[in-house]
Amino acid sequence: MAYTSTNTITAADYNAFVSTVNGVIGVGSGTKGYNQSNLTTVSATDEITAAHWTALLTAVTNAATHQGTSVTIPGGSATG
């Protein structure tokens, strides 16, 4: 998955990211999950918005903080 300023992330790719992050932050099972609310996925025809990205990046940042580390996620900007 490589994205440039001329294309956008697909709903399927976004949902794959969300699934991975939910495995860490969500209710989980056994030794997995921080028991936080899961992020919601999008339908195949939805456009991924800034609000979607903000929620995903916040969850990743919170998980890193919980582990005693930090992440640097480059910012982006909407085009077109």
Side-chain angles (χ1 to χ4, degrees), residues 8-28:
T8 58
I9 185 171
T10 65
D13 288 343
Y14 175 81
N15 287 339
F17 292 141
V18 166
S19 177
T20 299
V21 172
N22 281 345
V24 175
I25 68 160
V27 175

Side-chain angles (χ1 to χ4, degrees), residues 22-78:
N22 281 345
V24 175
I25 68 160
V27 175
S29 64
T31 60
K32 295 182 179 180
Y34 296 161
N35 202 30
Q36 301 299 305
S37 298
N38 281 337
L39 299 169
T40 57
T41 57
V42 297
S43 69
T45 58
D46 284 348
E47 179 179 342
I48 308 306
T49 66
H52 291 115
W53 277 116
T54 298
L56 180 61
L57 298 177
T58 297
V60 170
T61 300
N62 289 345
T65 299
H66 179 77
Q67 291 296 320
T69 189
S70 63
V71 293
T72 301
I73 302 171
S77 62

